[in-house]
Short mmCIF file of all heavy atoms in Angstrom, two decimals:
data_model
loop_
_atom_site.label_atom_id
_atom_site.label_comp_id
_atom_site.label_asym_id
_atom_site.label_seq_id
_atom_site.Cartn_x
_atom_site.Cartn_y
_atom_site.Cartn_z
N LYS A 1 -11.00 15.91 -7.66
CA LYS A 1 -11.80 14.68 -7.67
C LYS A 1 -10.88 13.55 -8.15
O LYS A 1 -10.31 13.70 -9.28
CB LYS A 1 -13.01 14.84 -8.54
CG LYS A 1 -13.79 13.58 -8.82
CD LYS A 1 -14.83 13.82 -9.95
CE LYS A 1 -15.64 12.58 -10.23
NZ LYS A 1 -16.58 12.83 -11.33
N ARG A 2 -10.74 12.51 -7.32
CA ARG A 2 -9.77 11.50 -7.71
C ARG A 2 -10.46 10.12 -7.64
O ARG A 2 -11.32 9.92 -6.71
CB ARG A 2 -8.59 11.45 -6.77
CG ARG A 2 -7.87 12.82 -6.57
CD ARG A 2 -6.60 12.57 -5.79
NE ARG A 2 -5.46 12.15 -6.64
CZ ARG A 2 -4.27 11.82 -6.10
NH1 ARG A 2 -4.03 11.99 -4.83
NH2 ARG A 2 -3.30 11.46 -6.92
N TYR A 3 -10.11 9.18 -8.45
CA TYR A 3 -10.55 7.82 -8.39
C TYR A 3 -9.47 6.98 -7.70
O TYR A 3 -8.34 7.05 -7.99
CB TYR A 3 -10.85 7.24 -9.76
CG TYR A 3 -12.17 7.63 -10.31
CD1 TYR A 3 -12.33 8.81 -11.02
CD2 TYR A 3 -13.29 6.85 -10.13
CE1 TYR A 3 -13.60 9.21 -11.58
CE2 TYR A 3 -14.56 7.17 -10.66
CZ TYR A 3 -14.67 8.36 -11.39
OH TYR A 3 -15.91 8.70 -11.87
N PRO A 4 -9.92 6.17 -6.71
CA PRO A 4 -8.91 5.26 -6.05
C PRO A 4 -8.34 4.36 -7.13
O PRO A 4 -9.04 4.00 -8.11
CB PRO A 4 -9.75 4.47 -5.05
CG PRO A 4 -10.96 5.36 -4.79
CD PRO A 4 -11.23 6.09 -6.06
N SER A 5 -7.08 4.06 -6.98
CA SER A 5 -6.41 3.19 -7.95
C SER A 5 -5.48 2.16 -7.27
O SER A 5 -4.66 2.68 -6.47
CB SER A 5 -5.64 4.05 -8.96
OG SER A 5 -4.75 3.23 -9.73
N ILE A 6 -5.64 0.90 -7.59
CA ILE A 6 -4.74 -0.08 -7.09
C ILE A 6 -3.31 0.18 -7.64
O ILE A 6 -2.30 0.06 -6.92
CB ILE A 6 -5.21 -1.50 -7.38
CG1 ILE A 6 -6.51 -1.75 -6.71
CG2 ILE A 6 -4.17 -2.57 -6.93
CD1 ILE A 6 -7.22 -3.02 -7.10
N LEU A 7 -3.21 0.36 -8.95
CA LEU A 7 -2.00 0.49 -9.65
C LEU A 7 -1.23 1.71 -9.16
O LEU A 7 0.05 1.68 -8.98
CB LEU A 7 -2.16 0.59 -11.16
CG LEU A 7 -2.74 -0.67 -11.82
CD1 LEU A 7 -2.97 -0.42 -13.32
CD2 LEU A 7 -1.78 -1.87 -11.62
N LYS A 8 -1.87 2.85 -9.04
CA LYS A 8 -1.19 4.10 -8.60
C LYS A 8 -1.10 4.28 -7.13
O LYS A 8 -0.58 5.23 -6.60
CB LYS A 8 -1.94 5.26 -9.22
CG LYS A 8 -1.98 5.33 -10.72
CD LYS A 8 -2.78 6.54 -11.22
CE LYS A 8 -2.97 6.49 -12.71
NZ LYS A 8 -3.84 7.60 -13.15
N GLN A 9 -1.67 3.31 -6.38
CA GLN A 9 -1.74 3.45 -4.91
C GLN A 9 -2.38 4.74 -4.42
O GLN A 9 -1.91 5.39 -3.58
CB GLN A 9 -0.35 3.23 -4.28
CG GLN A 9 0.19 1.84 -4.38
CD GLN A 9 1.33 1.58 -3.40
OE1 GLN A 9 1.11 1.03 -2.37
NE2 GLN A 9 2.53 1.91 -3.79
N ILE A 10 -3.45 5.07 -5.07
CA ILE A 10 -4.27 6.22 -4.69
C ILE A 10 -5.45 5.68 -3.91
O ILE A 10 -6.34 5.00 -4.50
CB ILE A 10 -4.75 7.08 -5.85
CG1 ILE A 10 -3.61 7.57 -6.69
CG2 ILE A 10 -5.65 8.13 -5.42
CD1 ILE A 10 -3.96 8.19 -8.01
N GLY A 11 -5.52 5.91 -2.64
CA GLY A 11 -6.66 5.54 -1.82
C GLY A 11 -6.78 4.05 -1.59
O GLY A 11 -7.64 3.53 -0.94
N ILE A 12 -5.83 3.27 -2.12
CA ILE A 12 -5.78 1.79 -1.89
C ILE A 12 -4.28 1.37 -1.71
O ILE A 12 -3.51 1.74 -2.51
CB ILE A 12 -6.43 1.07 -3.11
CG1 ILE A 12 -7.83 1.42 -3.26
CG2 ILE A 12 -6.28 -0.46 -2.89
CD1 ILE A 12 -8.51 0.87 -4.50
N ALA A 13 -4.10 0.62 -0.71
CA ALA A 13 -2.72 0.22 -0.43
C ALA A 13 -2.65 -1.13 0.24
O ALA A 13 -3.73 -1.61 0.77
CB ALA A 13 -2.00 1.23 0.48
N LYS A 14 -1.61 -1.86 0.08
CA LYS A 14 -1.43 -3.16 0.78
C LYS A 14 -0.11 -3.17 1.62
O LYS A 14 0.90 -2.64 1.15
CB LYS A 14 -1.31 -4.22 -0.34
CG LYS A 14 -1.13 -5.66 0.13
CD LYS A 14 -0.81 -6.63 -0.94
CE LYS A 14 -2.03 -7.11 -1.59
NZ LYS A 14 -1.75 -8.30 -2.53
N THR A 15 -0.24 -3.67 2.79
CA THR A 15 0.88 -3.79 3.67
C THR A 15 1.08 -5.29 4.03
O THR A 15 0.06 -5.97 4.32
CB THR A 15 0.62 -3.01 4.96
OG1 THR A 15 0.45 -1.55 4.62
CG2 THR A 15 1.87 -3.01 5.85
N GLU A 16 2.31 -5.65 4.07
CA GLU A 16 2.62 -7.05 4.38
C GLU A 16 3.59 -7.09 5.54
O GLU A 16 4.40 -6.14 5.70
CB GLU A 16 3.20 -7.79 3.25
CG GLU A 16 2.25 -7.89 2.03
CD GLU A 16 2.92 -8.49 0.80
OE1 GLU A 16 4.13 -8.68 0.88
OE2 GLU A 16 2.22 -8.77 -0.13
N PRO A 17 3.56 -8.05 6.42
CA PRO A 17 4.52 -8.13 7.54
C PRO A 17 5.96 -8.40 6.92
O PRO A 17 6.08 -9.24 6.04
CB PRO A 17 4.05 -9.33 8.37
CG PRO A 17 3.26 -10.16 7.45
CD PRO A 17 2.58 -9.25 6.43
N GLY A 18 6.90 -7.69 7.42
CA GLY A 18 8.27 -7.91 6.99
C GLY A 18 9.07 -8.84 7.99
O GLY A 18 8.48 -9.60 8.76
N ASP A 19 10.34 -8.61 8.02
CA ASP A 19 11.19 -9.32 8.90
C ASP A 19 10.96 -8.86 10.30
O ASP A 19 10.95 -7.68 10.63
CB ASP A 19 12.69 -9.07 8.50
CG ASP A 19 13.66 -9.95 9.32
OD1 ASP A 19 13.28 -10.35 10.44
OD2 ASP A 19 14.80 -10.11 8.85
N GLU A 20 10.74 -9.82 11.22
CA GLU A 20 10.43 -9.41 12.62
C GLU A 20 11.52 -8.58 13.23
O GLU A 20 11.30 -7.74 14.12
CB GLU A 20 10.26 -10.70 13.49
CG GLU A 20 8.87 -11.32 13.37
CD GLU A 20 8.65 -12.35 14.42
OE1 GLU A 20 9.38 -12.36 15.50
OE2 GLU A 20 7.72 -13.16 14.26
N ASN A 21 12.76 -8.73 12.79
CA ASN A 21 13.90 -8.06 13.46
C ASN A 21 14.03 -6.61 13.04
O ASN A 21 14.56 -5.78 13.72
CB ASN A 21 15.20 -8.79 13.19
CG ASN A 21 15.18 -10.26 13.74
OD1 ASN A 21 14.71 -10.43 14.82
ND2 ASN A 21 15.64 -11.13 12.97
N ASN A 22 13.62 -6.26 11.83
CA ASN A 22 13.85 -4.91 11.35
C ASN A 22 12.65 -4.20 10.90
O ASN A 22 12.71 -3.05 10.57
CB ASN A 22 14.93 -4.88 10.19
CG ASN A 22 14.39 -5.73 9.02
OD1 ASN A 22 13.17 -5.95 8.85
ND2 ASN A 22 15.33 -6.09 8.18
N GLN A 23 11.35 -4.78 10.98
CA GLN A 23 10.22 -4.11 10.58
C GLN A 23 9.85 -3.02 11.64
O GLN A 23 9.88 -3.31 12.85
CB GLN A 23 9.11 -5.04 10.38
CG GLN A 23 7.86 -4.36 9.77
CD GLN A 23 6.71 -5.30 9.55
OE1 GLN A 23 6.70 -6.39 10.12
NE2 GLN A 23 5.70 -4.87 8.81
N ASP A 24 9.48 -1.84 11.18
CA ASP A 24 9.03 -0.83 12.11
C ASP A 24 7.72 -0.19 11.56
O ASP A 24 7.26 -0.61 10.54
CB ASP A 24 10.13 0.21 12.35
CG ASP A 24 10.57 0.93 11.02
OD1 ASP A 24 9.70 0.95 10.12
OD2 ASP A 24 11.64 1.43 10.92
#
């Protein structure tokens, strides 16, 4: 049994766009 956590990135994550030339 786990609690989602922003700090530990458990069940919650953030993605941001990177450089257009090298992001995959």
Side-chain angles (χ1 to χ4, degrees):
K1 171 187 175 182
R2 310 185 81 183
Y3 277 87
S5 169
I6 297 172
L7 294 177
K8 298 177 185 175
Q9 291 198 92
I10 298 172
I12 299 174
K14 179 189 278 192
T15 302
E16 298 175 351
D19 186 339
E20 278 194 19
N21 298 318
N22 61 21
Q23 188 180 14
D24 59 27

